[in-house]
Amino acid sequence: MAEEVLSQNEIDALLSAISTGEMDADDLKKEEKERKVRVYDFKRALRFSKDQIRSLGRIHENFARLLTTYFSAQLRTYIQISVASVDQIPYEEFIRSIPKMTILNVFSVEPLDGRILLEANPNIAYAMLDRVLGGKGVSVNKVESLTEIETNIMSQLFEKAIDNLQEAWSSVVDINPELEEFEVNPQFLQMVSPNETVVVISLNTEIGESSGMINICIPHVVLEPIIPKLSVHYWMQTQTPQETSTEEYQSLSKTIEKAEVDVKAILGESKITVDELYHLSKDDVIQLDQLIDDPLRIQVDEETKFLAQPGQIKKKVAVQILDEYQGGDEDDE
C-alpha cells in the first residue's frame, strides 16, 4: 500500500505547529512506531487472485456463447446470455443471495473432486419450460408445485445444457459433467461448509420479454487442482498456433472426399421464345451458342471450373477434362 503524500500546504502547517509548540515531534515518532492494523474477515478469505478470476471469466464468456446457441435451438426463440459478474464469496453468502425457492441443478465434474451448482432463476426457468411446452415463453412462478413431468423436462433441459461446459473448459481440463441432483430449496442443499470460498459466475439471461440470472457456483475444492492453469502465463503458452499434424490433415482430407457436389457439362445455350418452345416438334433443331469443336464448360455447383471434350466410354456418354477454366469471352457474350 502506497504511503499517503502530503501537499506543500500541509507540510508547511505541520512545521509551523511543531515550531510553535502546538504539536510535539516525539508524539509523531510514537505514532509512526505504532503498528497499523487492517481488519481482515476470515469468512471472506480471498483464495483466488484477480488473474485467476479473469481467466474464469474468459472461460465462462465462451460458455455463455455456447449456451446462447444451445437454448436458441432448443426453444426456437431469441435468447441472449452474457457474463454479468465473477465473484469469490463464502458459500453461505451465495445461498442467502438466491431466492428461497429456485431451480437448482447439482453436477459432478469428473475427474475433478467435488460438485458444482447451476442455479436458474424461476423467471428464466419457467419461461424456458413454457417454450418447450409450446407457449410464448411467459414466466409463471410455480416452483413450489412442480409436477413430475415439469421436473423431468426442466432437468433434461439443463442436463444437456451443461454439456457445453465440457467444451468451454476443454482448453484447461477435460471434464465429464453429469447431473446428480435436482432441487428447489437451497436450504436442503449443502455442498460444502458455509465458510468455504466459492466462485460464482452470474450469467445475465434474456428470453423474449423475460429476464433473470443463471448462477454457476464452483467451490474452491473443485478448482484447486487446476489453479495453476488459470494463470495468464499458462493461457499464453497453450494458445500459440500449432501446425496441423499429418493425421489431422489426412482425416480432414478423407472427410472432404466424401462430400457430394453437383457436376454438369454445358453443351451450349440458346434463347427461344415461349411460342417457339410451344411449337417444337420431332426433328426440330435448336442452334446452340457454341461450335461443335469448342470445349465444353464443366460446372461444379453452378460455378465453371474446367474445360472438357465430349466422348464415350463403354457405350456411355462421358467427358474428358482438358484444362482448368480461367475465365473467357463466353461470359461476356
Side-chain angles (χ1 to χ4, degrees):
M1 227 171 114
E3 303 230 355
E4 185 177 354
V5 179
L6 299 178
S7 66
Q8 187 59 47
N9 290 335
E10 290 173 330
I11 295 174
D12 294 340
L14 183 61
L15 293 175
S16 176
I18 293 175
S19 61
T20 56
E22 295 179 8
M23 183 177 292
D24 191 352
D26 292 334
D27 294 338
L28 287 176
K29 292 179 181 178
K30 290 180 182 179
E31 288 182 8
E32 290 179 359
K33 291 180 180 179
E34 289 180 1
R35 182 174 297 174
K36 295 181 180 180
V37 179
R38 185 174 61 178
V39 177
Y40 184 82
D41 187 358
F42 285 93
K43 291 182 180 180
R44 294 184 60 88
L46 303 180
R47 307 183 70 173
F48 299 95
S49 67
K50 292 182 179 179
D51 182 26
Q52 292 161 353
I53 292 295
R54 282 193 293 268
S55 296
L56 289 170
R58 286 193 293 267
I59 291 171
H60 288 88
E61 282 173 2
N62 186 28
F63 180 53
R65 287 191 289 270
L66 294 172
L67 277 187
T68 299
T69 303
Y70 166 76
F71 281 126
S72 296
Q74 292 293 316
L75 307 180
R76 294 178 177 84
T77 188
Y78 172 78
I79 292 179
Q80 182 62 42
I81 301 176
S82 59
V83 175
S85 63
V86 182
D87 300 301
Q88 52 177 320
I89 58 177
Y91 177 71
E92 182 182 22
E93 186 174 325
F94 166 70
I95 292 298
R96 289 200 308 266
S97 67
I98 60 179
K100 293 182 179 179
M101 300 296 287
T102 184
I103 305 300
L104 303 166
N105 301 272
V106 181
F107 296 90
S108 63
V109 283
E110 294 183 354
L112 300 179
D113 296 329
R115 301 180 298 171
I116 68 172
L117 173 64
L118 186 146
E119 183 265 335
N121 188 278
N123 289 338
I124 291 300
Y126 275 96
M128 291 179 177
L129 181 63
D130 188 58
R131 283 295 304 175
V132 172
L133 297 177
K136 296 181 180 180
V138 178
S139 178
V140 179
N141 191 345
K142 48 173 287 187
V143 69
E144 297 182 9
S145 58
L146 272 174
T147 66
E148 186 175 347
I149 293 176
E150 290 171 337
T151 300
N152 288 335
I153 292 174
M154 200 171 293
S155 61
Q156 288 178 13
L157 189 65
F158 285 106
E159 184 176 10
K160 294 178 180 178
I162 204 67
D163 289 342
N164 294 287
L165 190 66
Q166 182 177 18
E167 183 176 346
W169 277 87
S170 60
S171 59
V172 177
V173 62
D174 291 327
I175 59 175
N176 182 29
E178 290 187 3
L179 180 65
E180 287 194 349
E181 192 175 346
F182 181 89
E183 185 58 68
V184 295
N185 191 338
Q187 301 304 321
F188 295 155
L189 193 64
Q190 191 66 39
M191 295 200 312
V192 292
S193 63
N195 294 331
E196 174 74 14
T197 300
V198 297
V199 175
V200 179
I201 300 96
S202 298
L203 305 178
N204 187 33
T205 308
E206 298 179 5
I207 303 177
E209 297 181 356
S210 301
S211 62
M213 287 290 181
I214 293 178
N215 294 308
I216 303 168
C217 174
I218 309 177
H220 176 267
V221 66
V222 175
L223 296 173
E224 190 173 13
I226 59 171
I227 283 179
K229 296 183 178 181
L230 298 177
S231 65
V232 172
H233 179 69
Y234 177 84
W235 279 68
M236 291 178 66
Q237 284 184 330
T238 56
Q239 291 183 352
T240 53
Q242 299 179 354
E243 294 184 2
T244 304
S245 64
T246 305
E247 292 79 7
E248 291 175 342
Y249 179 81
Q250 292 176 348
S251 176
L252 184 60
S253 299
K254 289 181 179 178
T255 303
I256 294 176
E257 287 173 359
K258 296 178 182 178
E260 295 184 359
V261 294
D262 186 20
V263 180
K264 294 187 293 186
I266 308 300
L267 299 177
E269 297 178 350
S270 180
K271 292 182 180 180
I272 61 175
T273 64
V274 174
D275 183 64
E276 290 173 335
L277 177 63
Y278 180 75
H279 290 94
L280 283 177
S281 59
K282 186 179 179 180
D283 295 329
D284 284 348
V285 176
I286 300 177
Q287 184 175 354
L288 302 179
D289 60 353
Q290 66 182 48
L291 302 176
I292 192 173
D293 295 329
D294 291 343
L296 307 182
R297 287 177 292 130
I298 305 300
Q299 289 188 346
V300 180
D301 284 342
E302 306 298 331
E303 185 174 348
T304 303
K305 289 293 186 181
F306 305 100
L307 296 177
Q309 63 181 5
Q312 192 175 18
I313 296 180
K314 295 181 180 180
K315 298 182 180 180
K316 292 185 178 180
V317 177
V319 292
Q320 181 183 30
I321 303 298
L322 298 176
D323 197 2
E324 289 188 13
Y325 178 71
Q326 304 295 333
D329 296 333
E330 65 261 31
D331 292 339
D332 300 329
E333 290 178 358

Coordinates of all heavy atoms in Angstrom, one line a residue, residues 78-129:
Y78 N -35.6 -15.9 -29.5 CA -34.5 -15.1 -29.3 C -34.0 -15.2 -27.8 O -34.8 -15.1 -26.9 CB -34.8 -13.6 -29.6 CG -33.7 -12.7 -29.2 CD1 -32.6 -12.5 -30.0 CD2 -33.8 -11.9 -28.0 CE1 -31.6 -11.7 -29.6 CE2 -32.8 -11.1 -27.6 CZ -31.7 -10.9 -28.4 OH -30.7 -10.1 -28.0
I79 N -32.7 -15.5 -27.7 CA -32.1 -15.7 -26.3 C -30.8 -15.0 -26.3 O -30.0 -15.1 -27.3 CB -32.0 -17.2 -25.9 CG1 -33.3 -17.8 -25.7 CG2 -31.2 -17.3 -24.7 CD1 -33.3 -19.3 -25.4
Q80 N -30.5 -14.3 -25.3 CA -29.2 -13.6 -25.1 C -28.7 -13.9 -23.7 O -29.3 -13.6 -22.7 CB -29.3 -12.1 -25.3 CG -28.0 -11.3 -25.2 CD -27.0 -11.8 -26.3 OE1 -27.4 -12.0 -27.5 NE2 -25.8 -11.9 -25.9
I81 N -27.5 -14.5 -23.7 CA -26.8 -14.8 -22.4 C -25.4 -14.2 -22.4 O -24.7 -14.4 -23.3 CB -26.7 -16.4 -22.2 CG1 -28.1 -17.0 -22.2 CG2 -26.1 -16.7 -20.9 CD1 -28.1 -18.5 -22.1
S82 N -25.1 -13.6 -21.3 CA -23.8 -12.9 -21.2 C -23.3 -13.0 -19.7 O -24.1 -13.0 -18.8 CB -23.8 -11.5 -21.7 OG -24.7 -10.7 -21.0
V83 N -22.0 -12.9 -19.5 CA -21.4 -12.9 -18.2 C -21.7 -11.5 -17.5 O -21.2 -10.5 -18.1 CB -19.9 -13.3 -18.2 CG1 -19.4 -13.2 -16.8 CG2 -19.7 -14.7 -18.7
A84 N -22.4 -11.5 -16.4 CA -22.6 -10.3 -15.7 C -21.5 -10.0 -14.6 O -21.1 -8.9 -14.5 CB -24.0 -10.3 -15.0
S85 N -21.1 -11.0 -13.9 CA -20.0 -10.9 -12.9 C -19.4 -12.2 -12.5 O -20.0 -13.3 -12.8 CB -20.6 -10.2 -11.6 OG -21.6 -11.1 -11.1
V86 N -18.2 -12.1 -12.0 CA -17.4 -13.3 -11.5 C -16.9 -12.9 -10.1 O -16.1 -12.0 -10.0 CB -16.3 -13.7 -12.4 CG1 -15.6 -15.0 -11.8 CG2 -16.8 -14.0 -13.8
D87 N -17.4 -13.5 -9.0 CA -17.0 -13.1 -7.7 C -16.6 -14.4 -6.9 O -17.1 -15.5 -7.2 CB -18.2 -12.4 -7.0 CG -18.6 -11.2 -7.7 OD1 -17.8 -10.3 -7.9 OD2 -19.8 -11.1 -8.1
Q88 N -15.8 -14.1 -5.9 CA -15.5 -15.2 -4.9 C -16.1 -14.8 -3.5 O -15.7 -13.7 -3.0 CB -14.0 -15.5 -4.8 CG -13.1 -14.3 -4.6 CD -11.6 -14.7 -4.5 OE1 -11.3 -15.7 -3.8 NE2 -10.7 -13.9 -5.1
I89 N -16.9 -15.6 -3.0 CA -17.6 -15.3 -1.8 C -17.8 -16.6 -1.0 O -17.6 -17.7 -1.5 CB -19.0 -14.7 -2.0 CG1 -19.9 -15.6 -2.9 CG2 -18.9 -13.3 -2.7 CD1 -21.3 -15.2 -3.2
P90 N -18.1 -16.5 0.3 CA -18.4 -17.7 1.1 C -19.7 -18.4 0.6 O -20.6 -17.7 0.1 CB -18.7 -17.2 2.5 CG -18.0 -15.8 2.6 CD -18.1 -15.3 1.2
Y91 N -19.7 -19.7 0.7 CA -20.9 -20.5 0.2 C -22.2 -20.0 0.9 O -23.2 -19.9 0.2 CB -20.7 -22.0 0.4 CG -21.8 -22.8 0.0 CD1 -22.1 -23.0 -1.3 CD2 -22.6 -23.5 1.0 CE1 -23.2 -23.8 -1.7 CE2 -23.7 -24.3 0.6 CZ -24.0 -24.5 -0.7 OH -25.0 -25.2 -1.1
E92 N -22.1 -19.7 2.2 CA -23.3 -19.3 2.9 C -23.9 -18.0 2.3 O -25.1 -17.8 2.2 CB -22.9 -19.1 4.4 CG -24.1 -18.6 5.3 CD -23.6 -18.4 6.7 OE1 -22.4 -18.1 6.9 OE2 -24.5 -18.5 7.6
E93 N -23.0 -17.1 1.9 CA -23.4 -15.8 1.3 C -24.1 -16.0 0.0 O -25.1 -15.4 -0.3 CB -22.2 -14.9 1.2 CG -22.6 -13.5 0.7 CD -21.4 -12.5 0.7 OE1 -20.6 -12.7 1.6 OE2 -21.4 -11.6 -0.2
F94 N -23.6 -17.0 -0.8 CA -24.2 -17.3 -2.1 C -25.7 -17.8 -1.9 O -26.6 -17.4 -2.5 CB -23.4 -18.3 -2.8 CG -24.1 -18.9 -4.0 CD1 -24.4 -18.2 -5.1 CD2 -24.5 -20.3 -3.9 CE1 -25.1 -18.8 -6.2 CE2 -25.2 -20.8 -5.0 CZ -25.5 -20.1 -6.1
I95 N -25.8 -18.8 -0.9 CA -27.1 -19.3 -0.6 C -28.1 -18.3 -0.2 O -29.3 -18.3 -0.6 CB -27.0 -20.5 0.4 CG1 -26.2 -21.6 -0.1 CG2 -28.4 -20.9 0.9 CD1 -26.9 -22.3 -1.3
R96 N -27.6 -17.3 0.6 CA -28.5 -16.2 1.0 C -28.9 -15.3 -0.1 O -30.0 -14.6 0.0 CB -27.9 -15.4 2.2 CG -27.8 -16.1 3.5 CD -27.6 -15.1 4.6 NE -26.5 -14.2 4.4 CZ -25.3 -14.4 4.8 NH1 -24.9 -15.4 5.5 NH2 -24.3 -13.5 4.5
S97 N -28.1 -15.2 -1.1 CA -28.4 -14.3 -2.2 C -29.4 -14.8 -3.2 O -29.9 -14.0 -4.0 CB -27.0 -13.9 -2.9 OG -26.5 -15.1 -3.6
I98 N -29.7 -16.1 -3.3 CA -30.6 -16.6 -4.3 C -32.0 -16.7 -3.6 O -32.1 -16.8 -2.4 CB -30.1 -17.9 -4.8 CG1 -29.9 -19.0 -3.7 CG2 -28.8 -17.8 -5.5 CD1 -29.5 -20.3 -4.2
P99 N -33.0 -16.9 -4.5 CA -34.4 -17.0 -3.9 C -34.5 -18.2 -3.0 O -33.8 -19.2 -3.1 CB -35.3 -17.1 -5.2 CG -34.5 -16.5 -6.3 CD -33.0 -16.8 -5.9
K100 N -35.5 -18.1 -2.1 CA -35.8 -19.2 -1.2 C -36.2 -20.5 -1.9 O -36.0 -21.6 -1.4 CB -36.8 -18.8 -0.1 CG -36.2 -17.7 0.8 CD -37.3 -17.4 1.9 CE -36.7 -16.3 2.8 NZ -37.7 -15.9 3.9
M101 N -36.9 -20.3 -3.0 CA -37.4 -21.4 -3.8 C -36.9 -21.1 -5.3 O -37.3 -20.1 -5.9 CB -38.9 -21.6 -3.8 CG -39.4 -21.9 -2.4 SD -38.8 -23.4 -1.7 CE -39.8 -24.6 -2.7
T102 N -36.0 -21.9 -5.8 CA -35.5 -21.7 -7.1 C -35.1 -23.0 -7.8 O -35.4 -24.1 -7.2 CB -34.2 -20.8 -7.0 OG1 -33.8 -20.5 -8.3 CG2 -33.1 -21.4 -6.2
I103 N -34.6 -23.0 -9.0 CA -34.2 -24.2 -9.7 C -32.7 -24.5 -9.5 O -31.9 -23.7 -9.9 CB -34.5 -24.1 -11.2 CG1 -36.0 -23.7 -11.4 CG2 -34.2 -25.4 -11.9 CD1 -37.0 -24.7 -10.8
L104 N -32.4 -25.6 -8.8 CA -31.0 -25.9 -8.5 C -30.6 -27.3 -9.2 O -31.3 -28.3 -9.0 CB -30.8 -26.1 -7.0 CG -31.2 -24.8 -6.2 CD1 -31.3 -25.2 -4.7 CD2 -30.2 -23.7 -6.4
N105 N -29.5 -27.2 -9.9 CA -29.0 -28.4 -10.6 C -27.6 -28.7 -10.1 O -26.7 -27.8 -10.2 CB -29.0 -28.3 -12.1 CG -30.4 -28.0 -12.7 OD1 -31.1 -28.9 -13.0 ND2 -30.7 -26.7 -12.8
V106 N -27.4 -29.8 -9.5 CA -26.0 -30.2 -9.0 C -25.4 -31.2 -9.9 O -25.9 -32.2 -10.3 CB -26.2 -30.8 -7.6 CG1 -24.8 -31.1 -7.0 CG2 -26.9 -29.9 -6.6
F107 N -24.1 -30.8 -10.3 CA -23.4 -31.7 -11.3 C -22.1 -32.1 -10.7 O -21.4 -31.4 -10.0 CB -23.1 -30.9 -12.6 CG -24.3 -30.4 -13.3 CD1 -25.0 -29.2 -13.0 CD2 -24.9 -31.3 -14.3 CE1 -26.1 -28.8 -13.7 CE2 -26.0 -30.9 -15.0 CZ -26.6 -29.7 -14.7
S108 N -21.7 -33.4 -11.0 CA -20.3 -33.8 -10.7 C -19.5 -33.5 -12.0 O -20.0 -33.4 -13.1 CB -20.3 -35.3 -10.5 OG -20.8 -36.0 -11.6
V109 N -18.2 -33.2 -11.8 CA -17.4 -32.8 -12.9 C -16.1 -33.7 -12.9 O -15.0 -33.1 -12.7 CB -17.0 -31.3 -12.9 CG1 -18.2 -30.5 -13.4 CG2 -16.6 -30.9 -11.5
E110 N -16.2 -35.0 -13.0 CA -15.1 -35.8 -13.0 C -14.1 -35.5 -14.2 O -14.6 -35.0 -15.2 CB -15.5 -37.3 -13.1 CG -16.3 -37.8 -12.0 CD -16.7 -39.3 -12.1 OE1 -16.4 -39.8 -13.2 OE2 -17.2 -39.8 -11.1
P111 N -12.8 -35.6 -13.9 CA -12.1 -36.1 -12.8 C -11.9 -35.2 -11.6 O -11.1 -35.6 -10.7 CB -10.8 -36.5 -13.5 CG -10.5 -35.5 -14.5 CD -11.9 -35.1 -15.0
L112 N -12.4 -34.0 -11.6 CA -12.3 -33.1 -10.5 C -13.1 -33.5 -9.3 O -14.2 -34.1 -9.5 CB -12.6 -31.6 -11.0 CG -11.9 -31.1 -12.1 CD1 -12.4 -29.7 -12.5 CD2 -10.4 -31.0 -11.8
D113 N -12.6 -33.2 -8.1 CA -13.3 -33.5 -6.9 C -14.5 -32.5 -6.7 O -14.4 -31.4 -7.2 CB -12.4 -33.5 -5.7 CG -11.3 -34.6 -5.8 OD1 -11.6 -35.6 -6.4 OD2 -10.2 -34.4 -5.3
G114 N -15.4 -32.9 -5.9 CA -16.5 -32.0 -5.5 C -17.5 -31.9 -6.6 O -17.5 -32.6 -7.6
R115 N -18.5 -31.0 -6.4 CA -19.6 -30.8 -7.3 C -19.8 -29.3 -7.5 O -19.4 -28.5 -6.7 CB -20.9 -31.4 -6.7 CG -20.8 -32.9 -6.5 CD -22.1 -33.5 -5.9 NE -22.4 -32.9 -4.7 CZ -23.6 -33.1 -4.1 NH1 -24.5 -33.9 -4.6 NH2 -23.9 -32.5 -2.9
I116 N -20.4 -29.0 -8.7 CA -20.7 -27.6 -9.0 C -22.3 -27.5 -9.0 O -23.0 -28.4 -9.2 CB -20.1 -27.1 -10.3 CG1 -20.8 -27.8 -11.5 CG2 -18.6 -27.3 -10.3 CD1 -20.3 -27.3 -12.8
L117 N -22.7 -26.2 -8.9 CA -24.1 -25.9 -8.8 C -24.5 -25.0 -9.9 O -23.9 -23.9 -10.0 CB -24.5 -25.4 -7.4 CG -25.9 -24.9 -7.2 CD1 -26.9 -26.0 -7.3 CD2 -26.0 -24.2 -5.8
L118 N -25.6 -25.3 -10.6 CA -26.2 -24.3 -11.6 C -27.6 -23.9 -11.1 O -28.4 -24.8 -11.0 CB -26.2 -25.0 -13.0 CG -26.7 -24.0 -14.1 CD1 -26.0 -24.4 -15.4 CD2 -28.2 -24.1 -14.3
E119 N -27.7 -22.7 -10.7 CA -29.0 -22.2 -10.2 C -29.6 -21.3 -11.3 O -29.0 -20.3 -11.8 CB -28.8 -21.4 -8.9 CG -30.0 -20.9 -8.3 CD -30.4 -19.4 -8.7 OE1 -29.4 -18.7 -9.1 OE2 -31.6 -19.0 -8.6
A120 N -30.9 -21.6 -11.6 CA -31.6 -20.8 -12.6 C -32.8 -20.1 -11.9 O -33.6 -20.7 -11.3 CB -32.1 -21.7 -13.7
N121 N -32.8 -18.8 -12.1 CA -33.9 -18.0 -11.5 C -35.2 -18.5 -12.0 O -35.4 -18.8 -13.2 CB -33.7 -16.5 -11.9 CG -34.7 -15.7 -11.1 OD1 -35.8 -15.5 -11.5 ND2 -34.2 -15.1 -10.0
P122 N -36.3 -18.6 -11.2 CA -37.6 -19.1 -11.6 C -38.1 -18.4 -12.8 O -38.8 -19.0 -13.7 CB -38.4 -19.0 -10.4 CG -37.5 -19.0 -9.2 CD -36.2 -18.4 -9.7
N123 N -37.9 -17.1 -12.9 CA -38.4 -16.3 -14.1 C -37.9 -16.9 -15.4 O -38.6 -17.0 -16.4 CB -38.0 -14.8 -14.0 CG -38.7 -14.1 -12.9 OD1 -39.8 -14.5 -12.5 ND2 -38.2 -13.0 -12.4
I124 N -36.6 -17.3 -15.4 CA -35.9 -17.8 -16.6 C -36.3 -19.3 -16.8 O -36.7 -19.7 -17.9 CB -34.4 -17.7 -16.5 CG1 -34.0 -16.2 -16.6 CG2 -33.7 -18.5 -17.6 CD1 -34.4 -15.6 -17.9
A125 N -36.3 -20.1 -15.7 CA -36.6 -21.5 -15.8 C -38.0 -21.7 -16.3 O -38.2 -22.6 -17.2 CB -36.4 -22.2 -14.5
Y126 N -39.0 -20.9 -15.9 CA -40.4 -21.2 -16.3 C -40.6 -20.6 -17.7 O -41.5 -21.1 -18.4 CB -41.3 -20.6 -15.3 CG -41.6 -21.6 -14.2 CD1 -40.9 -21.5 -13.0 CD2 -42.5 -22.7 -14.4 CE1 -41.1 -22.5 -12.0 CE2 -42.7 -23.6 -13.4 CZ -42.0 -23.5 -12.2 OH -42.2 -24.4 -11.2
A127 N -39.9 -19.6 -18.1 CA -40.0 -19.1 -19.5 C -39.5 -20.2 -20.4 O -40.1 -20.4 -21.5 CB -39.2 -17.8 -19.6
M128 N -38.4 -20.9 -20.0 CA -37.9 -21.9 -20.9 C -38.9 -23.1 -20.9 O -39.2 -23.7 -22.0 CB -36.6 -22.4 -20.3 CG -35.4 -21.5 -20.4 SD -33.9 -22.2 -19.7 CE -32.7 -20.9 -20.1
L129 N -39.5 -23.5 -19.8 CA -40.4 -24.5 -19.7 C -41.7 -24.2 -20.6 O -42.2 -25.1 -21.3 CB -40.9 -24.8 -18.3 CG -41.8 -25.9 -18.0 CD1 -41.2 -27.3 -18.5 CD2 -42.3 -26.0 -16.6

